[in-house]
Amino acid sequence: MNAVIKRLGDQPWIWSFLAATAVWLMTIAFTGGQGAGEILTSALSFGTFTIIVGLGQMMVITTGPGNVDLSIPATMTLSGVIAMKVMDTDSANMLLGIVAALSASLVVGVANYILIRLLRIPPIIATLSSSFLVLSTAISYGRGIRIKPPVPLADFATVRYAGVPVVAVAVLGLSILLALVLKRTIYGRTVLAIGQNERAAWLAGLKVKSVRFATYLLSALFAGICGILQSGFSGGAALNMGDDFLLASIAVVVIGGTSVAGGKANVPGIWGAALFMYLLVTMLNIFGASPGVRLILTGVMIISVITLAGGEKTSR
Amino acid sequence: MSLEAIRLDGVEKSFGAVRALAGVDLVVSAGECLGLVGHNGAGKSTLMHVLTGTLSPDKGNLAVGGVSVSGEWSAAASQRAGIRCVFQELSLCPNLSVAENARIMHKPLSGFGWKKRASDLIRSKLDEIFPGHGIDPDDEIADLAIGKRQMAEIARAFTVMSDPLRLVILDEPTSSLDAVTAEQLLTYIGKETAKGTAVILISHLLGEILSASDRIVVMKDGKSVAERPASGFDRTSLVAAMGSEGHGAHAILASTQPSLATSPILVKAHPDGSSKGQELIVRKGEVIGLAGLAGHGQTRTLLQIFSHDHATVEAPKSFIAGDRQSDGVFNLWSIARNVTIRSLKSFTRFGLIDPVAEASMAEEWKSRMAIRTPDMDNNILTLSGGNQQKALFARALASDATVILMDDPMRGVDIGTKLEVYDMIRTEAANGRSFVWYTTEFDELAYCDRVYVFRNGKISDEINAGSISEERILQASFAESAA
Amino acid sequence: MINRRHLRAALPFLSLAIVLAATFYVQPRTMSYFGLNLMLQYAIPIALATIAQMFIITVNDLDLSIGPFVGLVGCISATLLLNDPVLGVLALIACIMAYGLVGALIHIRNLPSIVVTLGLSFVWLGIAVLILPSPGGKAPVWLKAIMSFQMPWVPLPIIAAILIGGIVHVALMTSSLGVIGRGAGGNPKALQRAGWSMLKTKVAMFTIAGFFGVLAGLSLLGLTTSADAHVADRYTLYSIAGVILGGGEFIGGRVSPMGAVVGALTLALAGAFLIFLKISPDWQIGAQGAILIIVLAMRALITSGEARR
């Protein structure tokens, strides 16, 4: 039994799940047990979208120190706007809208990679600059009446069975797929290798450039998927829909136990962290905390979690 | 000053279950050069870290200059007590100049005019140790070649300001120096010890140890196991004292195979980048040596071959790094994963890696390379340096590569590991694998079928196995190529 | 190679000159004392925030909270400092010390600064929102006076920028203590082995950053005359872009104080330039991204010409 506990304790993601549980317990203690299930369901409902972009961000961050995709919110917005406009509330256009939106997202991914590779711009700046351009594109293309999503899309994004949102199950499937890719495919191994030592990875015969390229495409693609689903969920694509997702995408990756230095990825942690963050906000709302207090506590929580977890243990 | 520079009594240090120092007794007298030899894992590194204050011993006493050090021992205290160390991994800040790096070592170099004082200090020491060095104190470290960096760091270690200089520890100081500067350093050691400074010289180049040391201490398994004046040792007895089989320097000659002249050509490279200069050719089953002064294009040529730059390569290739931290090892991974990373395709089915096949490859190579570890799933950094190097060899040999490029991979590795690996190389060559082997140790060229000597980025001589001699190599390293 | 190194160092100045020239071309009326003053007035707070970021980047960290911090300083100064100067000064000193504490925390626990400062940005914003839930407060009179001071011949922002860049250059690039700060970014292990305290160095650099952050907040308040918790949210990205445009690098302790200031000026100008170009507001943010890309592309072109070691 001790061995099991130790093994569990070594997993970085356990802390985010424990924290999420602790927050949930505190909340229902406050409400006297009322609405416990609804709180969980709603955390799953909202948290799912952060998880999608968190997965993409996780892959980018894992490819090595300094790699981060700051264009996720912009790509999300662009994708949502294009999807809504092309679909035009008609379910017959849904496939076309999805293809259009995801194609645009892939273009962003390609653009990011070109900036990083050809122009040798550090990823933070490259994705930042491209996000400005992408956002402008989204804003100018999306100006006008807010178009509603087709009914099937809205349903898919909002429907729940037995308190579990359908979209959460889909994202769970996506997460499991990604975890498998990381562990058991050459692509996944290469990502982890590049993150630890890019030069060694090249000298070991790994296809560093292609894998990097694929990872930025993946991140953009996931952001695009999130944009489409989020639009379905919120009844349309708002031009500021990506605002909260930048910090959130990085926060769930880190709080979930993925190493910011690269080379180590943690998929379950993304779930734990996303749930933790949404349960925290719910708890603060229920406690009636003012917006200022809510912001401070969110910040303190992020800092506390990362401080408790500590940074990477440096080798001797 | 006391007659004893440092004295260690019964010093012990453990890292978890690993006993790095198992009770070390050591005395270094003022004005003495002590040669320290031993396998990787013998405890030399740990001992040096204890002396320089970055590690504190679990048990035992340390006395500096006759005064016992108790309690307050730290890097700063060690500096103040006059102990300096030039580690294998250089301690220079690449973004700063040589003079600024000198400032970092000496706290008094502050206030108005500090830069001029720092420049003068380091320049005069460089002139003293390495005449003709060509280094400007304002040069940024990042702009200097590795050899010059090492020269700068060594010179800095010998600079004196307010703190007296009692002991300088040199850990593989000539690893990036060419023959001329290495000789300058060894000469300087004699001059410095004559002034009363003590020196500890750690080196795997037995020739250096024997010629430069006054006394030699052999370490094994965290203890000192032999100690004699340098004159009481020779190469054979030194290797014997370290506890592994000694082979004479030229015992193993290269080609015991039938002539390879008819083997198919696998690699054709033009190291000088043009299609006119001398070509480098590698045939199937050959062990090709790349010799010459360090940094004259050998590593660049290896990388050229690896990336097919001005080179035609007709076979899958693999690279074995010499600088394993920057070019080879994946720190977060297990030994097994480090070994299998080049061979993933061979056990991938329907896009998925087969974990059983992977584990069995790791086990197979653990025994073939005799990697000393209880479990291949342990983190790679639990291995000693020599065993890590073996893991990198396993990575290359386990792969489908038939051309193996080696970038001075035996640098700083203990003699026991080296001999095991040399055997492996000859065996693999006999089975049809080719090796392109850049080495800075003349002894290793004895294992090669042919040697290309490099000078200034070009091939200056091509020598066949029977004609390899130190004189010929040196001549080609310095003189114009033979017509 | 020396030529290319000089070209690289000159790039920030070249970019500034080009943007300046382009602005004059599009709107000749800006080529006056009044015009320059107006366009560049926000350059001072941006430059100060950029310098703050630069000190953090020097030690291989990144500060994602500088924007909200600048907003917080404004909120404190427009209320506390105005009404109770002693308490206000104490509060600002506490802010500076808080930065130092964060540096200590990051070092002691070996934390990724991106995450810690991310959380910190929420904290600063929350405190600011508590103090001023909606824009308000008033800038102290002396602050307004300083920021609207009319220097003869050359507009205040330009002089201030040169002064700031010059002082920091001397402090960081030529002083013996500056060597330690930069060495901490170049090779922290080596610094420790030489007996210097990484903890003290990090705390010092972070504290200095906090100090410049406070200056940025004060100067911004002096210009806007009333405070808003969200007024400087953009400053985080501006400051990072400014350091990079100025030739700094995220890792390795390589920064340029003058370059950072010039980078900040360029960004401030670019904003005005775009307004003059009558670019639709939808595209203004995109155009700033384009400028960043163009400048960095030029740098890449120059760098790729440098001989590889």
Side-chain angles (χ1 to χ4, degrees):
Chain A
M1 188 57 193
N2 277 338
V4 173
I5 294 186
K6 179 163 195 312
R7 194 108 188 281
L8 271 179
D10 280 343
Q11 306 288 349
W13 51 259
I14 200 74
W15 297 106
S16 52
F17 276 105
L18 281 176
T21 314
V23 170
W24 180 65
L25 287 173
M26 277 197 277
T27 313
I28 55 178
F30 188 78
T31 65
Q34 248 189 334
E38 177 57 33
I39 292 175
L40 269 182
T41 301
S42 127
L44 265 178
S45 229
F46 285 89
T48 296
F49 303 103
T50 309
I51 291 174
I52 303 177
V53 293
L55 289 172
Q57 186 73 278
M58 176 193 80
M59 294 303 284
V60 172
I61 288 181
T62 303
T63 59
N67 281 285
V68 70
D69 187 354
L70 296 183
S71 66
I72 285 177
T75 310
M76 233 183 99
T77 312
L78 182 66
S79 164
V81 161
I82 292 180
M84 292 301 102
K85 261 208 157 166
V86 169
M87 290 180 192
D88 207 10
T89 73
D90 191 345
S91 56
N93 292 334
M94 254 174 43
L95 192 58
L96 190 63
I98 293 176
V99 168
L102 292 185
S103 308
S105 311
L106 286 177
V107 168
V108 176
V110 171
N112 279 337
Y113 187 68
I114 290 180
L115 289 177
I116 293 172
R117 202 131 180 86
L118 241 70
L119 300 185
R120 247 106 55 55
I121 303 181
I124 292 184
I125 300 284
T127 53
L128 185 67
S129 325
S130 75
S131 80
F132 288 162
L133 285 164
V134 172
L135 199 56
S136 281
T137 315
I139 292 176
S140 81
Y141 183 61
R143 249 193 213 298
I145 345 166
R146 184 164 156 141
I147 305 177
K148 284 192 169 334
V151 172
L153 179 61
D155 280 348
F156 178 71
T158 51
V159 133
R160 306 161 176 184
Y161 282 127
V164 177
V166 167
V167 68
V169 175
V171 173
L172 184 63
L174 190 64
S175 314
I176 295 177
L177 197 66
L178 196 63
L180 195 68
V181 164
L182 266 174
K183 196 150 192 252
R184 298 273 300 273
T185 64
I186 296 186
Y187 165 73
R189 257 333 141 83
T190 309
V191 166
L192 293 171
I194 297 175
Q196 293 174 66
N197 191 335
E198 182 178 341
R199 189 169 159 82
W202 172 60
L203 289 170
L206 297 172
K207 302 211 172 349
V208 174
K209 292 190 210 148
S210 326
V211 163
R212 264 248 159 74
F213 180 45
T215 309
Y216 275 96
L217 283 183
L218 195 148
S219 174
L221 188 70
F222 277 33
I225 294 175
C226 183
I228 298 174
L229 289 175
Q230 175 78 48
S231 307
F233 185 80
S234 323
L239 293 173
N240 66 349
M241 66 193 280
D243 278 1
D244 291 329
F245 282 85
L246 178 58
L247 303 183
S249 70
I250 300 176
V252 293
V253 170
V254 174
I255 295 181
T258 295
S259 171
V260 171
K264 199 159 57 151
N266 198 303
V267 173
I270 307 248
W271 279 77
L275 287 173
F276 166 62
M277 280 171 51
Y278 277 96
L279 285 171
L280 183 67
V281 171
T282 312
M283 177 182 91
L284 292 174
N285 279 335
I286 290 184
F287 283 12
S290 78
V293 173
R294 198 181 339 132
L295 284 166
I296 296 176
L297 271 177
T298 311
V300 168
M301 284 296 176
I302 295 180
I303 297 178
S304 309
V305 169
I306 193 71
T307 305
L308 281 172
E312 27 166 330
K313 316 283 174 266
T314 43
S315 51
R316 58 176 170 90
Chain B
M1 235 202 268
S2 146
L3 284 174
E4 277 180 4
I6 53 141
R7 166 184 278 275
L8 292 136
D9 287 315
V11 169
E12 288 179 33
K13 180 74 185 170
S14 300
F15 299 101
V18 179
R19 260 190 118 197
L21 296 177
V24 176
D25 299 315
L26 190 72
V27 176
V28 185
S29 313
E32 151 173 73
C33 175
L34 182 79
L36 195 60
V37 295
H39 277 227
N40 272 36
K44 308 185 299 295
S45 255
T46 315
L47 191 60
M48 295 312 112
H49 280 104
V50 166
L51 280 174
T52 56
T54 44
L55 281 178
S56 27
D58 300 329
K59 275 206 202 109
N61 284 320
L62 167 65
V64 181
V67 176
S68 183
V69 161
S70 40
E72 278 300 310
W73 190 236
S74 64
S78 169
Q79 274 267 105
R80 267 179 272 129
I83 299 180
R84 310 273 181 76
C85 184
V86 178
F87 291 100
Q88 261 184 297
E89 334 90 70
L90 298 181
S91 283
L92 297 170
C93 297
N95 60 325
L96 302 178
S97 70
V98 178
E100 287 172 331
N101 272 284
R103 174 322 180 232
I104 290 194
M105 173 163 271
H106 297 286
K107 284 208 170 77
L109 279 172
S110 63
F112 199 63
W114 69 268
K115 209 176 215 172
K116 178 153 195 322
R117 280 179 279 141
S119 299
D120 291 342
L121 183 68
I122 193 73
R123 194 190 295 111
S124 61
K125 190 52 76 173
L126 276 167
D127 291 338
E128 200 183 334
I129 307 181
F130 301 110
H133 53 86
I135 301 174
D136 188 312
D138 284 330
D139 284 340
E140 210 181 86
I141 297 293
D143 293 335
L144 294 175
I146 181 99
K148 291 216 162 106
R149 289 192 215 184
Q150 194 160 38
M151 285 157 71
E153 174 137 17
I154 292 171
R156 183 182 73 158
F158 283 103
T159 52
V160 183
M161 278 218 87
S162 51
D163 299 329
L165 188 57
R166 181 163 280 134
L167 168 70
V168 177
I169 306 170
L170 299 170
D171 189 355
E172 306 289 347
T174 62
S175 57
S176 303
L177 302 180
D178 58 39
V180 171
T181 36
E183 195 52 43
Q184 287 174 333
L185 174 61
L186 295 177
T187 312
Y188 182 76
I189 291 178
K191 273 203 284 177
E192 184 74 25
T193 48
K195 282 194 255 169
T197 314
V199 171
I200 295 182
L201 177 63
I202 304 174
S203 175
H204 280 109
L205 298 173
L206 303 181
E208 274 181 10
I209 293 274
L210 288 166
S211 75
S213 320
D214 299 312
R215 206 163 42 101
I216 298 179
V217 162
V218 180
M219 279 188 76
K220 190 175 171 218
D221 296 330
K223 275 179 130 101
S224 141
V225 298
E227 185 239 309
R228 273 180 234 169
S231 49
F233 271 118
D234 64 11
R235 267 193 147 95
T236 325
S237 54
L238 210 43
V239 172
M242 282 192 274
S244 53
E245 304 214 317
H247 289 235
H250 307 275
I252 297 189
L253 288 173
S255 221
T256 47
Q257 306 177 63
S259 167
L260 292 161
T262 51
S263 268
I265 295 180
L266 296 180
V267 177
K268 264 199 220 174
H270 291 273
D272 58 2
S274 77
S275 45
K276 292 213 206 104
Q278 164 124 26
E279 243 185 352
L280 186 149
I281 293 181
V282 182
R283 295 201 152 83
K284 186 161 149 77
E286 283 191 309
V287 178
I288 303 293
L290 303 185
L293 299 176
H296 276 242
Q298 299 95 336
T299 304
R300 189 177 36 77
T301 302
L302 287 175
L303 292 172
Q304 252 180 266
I305 298 175
F306 186 76
S307 41
H308 294 227
D309 176 18
H310 286 102
T312 41
V313 185
E314 310 282 350
K317 61 226 181 295
S318 187
F319 191 94
I320 302 183
D323 185 347
R324 51 178 178 275
Q325 267 307 303
S326 81
D327 297 347
V329 169
F330 296 108
N331 284 350
L332 297 178
W333 275 353
S334 63
I335 308 167
R337 275 205 180 184
N338 268 280
V339 167
T340 58
I341 185 66
R342 172 72 179 75
S343 320
L344 294 175
K345 273 213 197 85
S346 68
F347 43 78
T348 301
R349 248 163 294 284
F350 308 112
L352 288 180
I353 297 172
D354 179 356
V356 172
E358 186 179 5
S360 82
M361 173 180 275
E363 275 311 304
E364 181 198 336
W365 283 93
K366 171 183 170 187
S367 54
R368 279 179 79 174
M369 297 290 317
I371 299 177
R372 290 181 185 83
T373 178
D375 186 354
M376 285 296 271
D377 287 327
N378 284 347
N379 179 267
I380 183 94
L381 297 176
T382 59
L383 290 179
S384 70
N387 280 291
Q388 286 182 31
Q389 211 62 36
K390 278 192 195 171
L392 294 182
F393 262 91
R395 178 192 296 173
L397 297 176
S399 72
D400 61 354
T402 51
V403 172
I404 315 264
L405 308 164
M406 307 200 288
D407 185 17
D408 203 13
M410 301 277 93
R411 210 185 318 171
V413 173
D414 60 285
I415 187 80
T417 308
K418 278 193 202 182
L419 294 170
E420 284 169 0
V421 175
Y422 297 158
D423 280 342
M424 178 66 80
I425 292 176
R426 288 306 324 172
T427 314
E428 291 285 323
N431 287 338
R433 262 184 159 144
S434 312
F435 290 83
V436 185
W437 188 357
Y438 163 45
T439 170
T440 51
E441 266 185 67
F442 169 70
D443 289 349
E444 293 181 340
L445 295 171
Y447 294 88
C448 301
D449 299 306
R450 253 180 324 119
V451 172
Y452 289 97
V453 184
F454 276 72
R455 186 181 165 261
N456 290 342
K458 294 205 251 260
I459 298 174
S460 61
D461 198 0
E462 183 184 344
I463 313 175
N464 285 310
S467 325
I468 299 175
S469 72
E470 198 154 17
E471 303 95 280
R472 187 154 168 199
I473 303 266
L474 282 174
Q475 202 174 17
S477 306
F478 288 97
E480 296 294 338
S481 51
Chain C
M1 195 178 80
I2 303 203
N3 278 333
R4 298 221 185 253
R5 170 77 72 85
H6 287 168
L7 208 58
R8 253 194 96 179
L11 186 56
F13 299 88
L14 269 169
S15 326
L16 179 63
I18 291 177
V19 176
L20 207 57
T23 311
F24 289 159
Y25 179 74
V26 167
Q27 183 55 274
R29 261 180 280 163
T30 57
M31 211 171 358
S32 66
Y33 180 96
F34 179 70
L36 275 175
N37 205 16
L38 199 62
M39 282 197 307
L40 291 175
Q41 60 177 339
Y42 286 97
I44 297 182
I46 295 179
L48 287 165
T50 306
I51 292 286
Q53 183 72 257
M54 188 199 75
F55 274 97
I56 309 259
I57 288 184
T58 307
V59 284
N60 297 340
D61 284 317
L62 200 62
D63 182 8
L64 294 182
S65 75
I66 188 71
F69 183 73
V70 169
L72 172 64
V73 169
C75 292
I76 293 178
S77 310
T79 53
L80 210 53
L81 190 64
L82 181 74
N83 301 322
D84 188 341
V86 174
L87 215 58
V89 168
L90 283 176
L92 290 179
I93 293 180
C95 286
I96 298 177
M97 287 176 55
Y99 250 80
L101 237 91
V102 169
L105 185 68
I106 288 179
H107 174 75
I108 292 176
R109 289 293 291 166
N110 195 20
L111 303 175
S113 52
I114 291 186
V115 179
V116 175
T117 54
L118 196 70
L120 206 57
S121 68
F122 284 106
V123 175
W124 298 146
L125 203 56
I127 301 177
V129 163
L130 274 180
I131 297 179
L132 273 182
S134 51
K138 231 170 65 152
V141 175
W142 53 269
L143 205 52
K144 276 191 285 194
I146 295 178
M147 292 311 294
S148 51
F149 189 74
Q150 303 273 19
M151 305 254 4
W153 304 115
V154 186
L156 177 68
I158 297 182
I159 297 197
I162 297 177
L163 222 75
I164 296 170
I167 293 178
V168 176
H169 178 91
V170 166
L172 190 61
M173 311 299 285
T174 67
S175 82
S176 60
L177 281 175
V179 170
I180 307 303
R182 286 181 292 129
N187 192 340
K189 271 214 200 103
L191 211 72
Q192 266 173 318
R193 279 200 203 141
W196 295 93
S197 161
M198 264 310 289
L199 178 63
K200 286 198 199 139
T201 310
K202 275 243 161 125
V203 170
M205 298 296 268
F206 269 74
T207 308
I208 296 176
F211 171 68
F212 278 98
V214 164
L215 289 183
L218 287 173
S219 58
L220 183 59
L221 180 63
L223 288 171
T224 56
T225 70
S226 74
D228 174 4
H230 287 278
V231 69
D233 280 352
R234 275 263 127 76
Y235 275 41
T236 304
L237 304 177
Y238 276 165
S239 64
I240 297 177
V243 174
I244 298 297
L245 273 178
E249 286 167 30
F250 284 116
I251 304 270
R254 277 202 185 78
V255 292
S256 163
M258 272 318 297
V261 166
V262 167
L265 282 176
T266 311
L267 287 170
L269 257 187
F273 175 58
L274 293 172
I275 295 179
F276 292 136
L277 273 186
K278 301 220 183 55
I279 293 189
S280 143
D282 291 346
W283 283 101
Q284 264 171 28
I285 177 175
Q288 285 186 324
I291 290 178
L292 251 181
I293 292 176
I294 293 174
V295 173
L296 291 175
M298 288 204 287
R299 187 163 101 177
L301 274 169
I302 298 175
T303 312
S304 70
E306 278 177 358
R308 229 164 280 225
R309 248 185 307 106

